[in-house]
Amino acid sequence: MRKLTVHFIEKDKKSKEDIQILKIGGVNNTGQRWAISIKEAVEGIRSGHWELFILANNNEIPVRIRQEENQPPVLIAQGDGYLHNLLEDLPEINFVQTI
């Protein structure tokens, strides 16, 4: 299992009502940026390939999957004393590469 810290997100600009995260990413231990779609993250967590977390107040908060009936899975990170999804607090970055 590979343990990765999530540092930033990419949100859906079209969604006005709810915050919809499209991708998550970070920097690995060699300094390279990585980014994966929510679908890839869900598959990696479910398969045991990845353990994803964020840092909040020097605590590792695990990224988990929430799936409600007839809804696509979403990623959440909720720590002690936090009621909202802490992933939504991460800085947003545009993962589209421009040449």
Side-chain angles (χ1 to χ4, degrees), residues 72-83:
V74 295
L75 299 180
I76 62 163
Q78 291 178 309
D80 294 335
Y82 296 100
L83 298 177

Side-chain angles (χ1 to χ4, degrees), residues 7-91:
H7 294 147
F8 37 81
I9 62 173
E10 181 179 355
K11 297 178 191 174
D12 182 0
K13 303 279 193 255
K14 298 173 192 166
S15 179
K16 300 282 188 218
E17 298 166 13
D18 295 325
I19 295 174
Q20 184 178 2
I21 299 172
L22 300 175
K23 294 183 181 180
I24 59 172
V27 180
N28 66 18
N29 57 1
T30 63
Q32 290 181 305
R33 279 190 177 187
W34 60 271
I36 55 176
S37 70
I38 296 305
K39 181 180 177 184
E40 291 171 305
V42 167
E43 290 170 359
I45 292 169
R46 285 185 174 157
S47 71
H49 185 69
W50 291 318
E51 180 181 355
L52 303 172
F53 67 95
I54 65 169
L55 291 175
N57 298 324
N58 294 323
N59 294 318
E60 290 184 359
I61 309 293
V63 174
R64 303 201 188 282
I65 301 165
R66 178 187 300 158
Q67 186 163 13
E68 301 196 14
E69 192 173 333
N70 299 322
Q71 297 294 319
V74 295
L75 299 180
I76 62 163
Q78 291 178 309
D80 294 335
Y82 296 100
L83 298 177
H84 70 288
N85 186 353
L86 296 174
L87 285 171
E88 296 171 1
D89 294 343
L90 293 177

Side-chain angles (χ1 to χ4, degrees), residues 88-99:
E88 296 171 1
D89 294 343
L90 293 177
E92 188 174 1
I93 189 168
N94 184 352
F95 292 107
V96 177
Q97 298 288 331
T98 57
I99 299 176

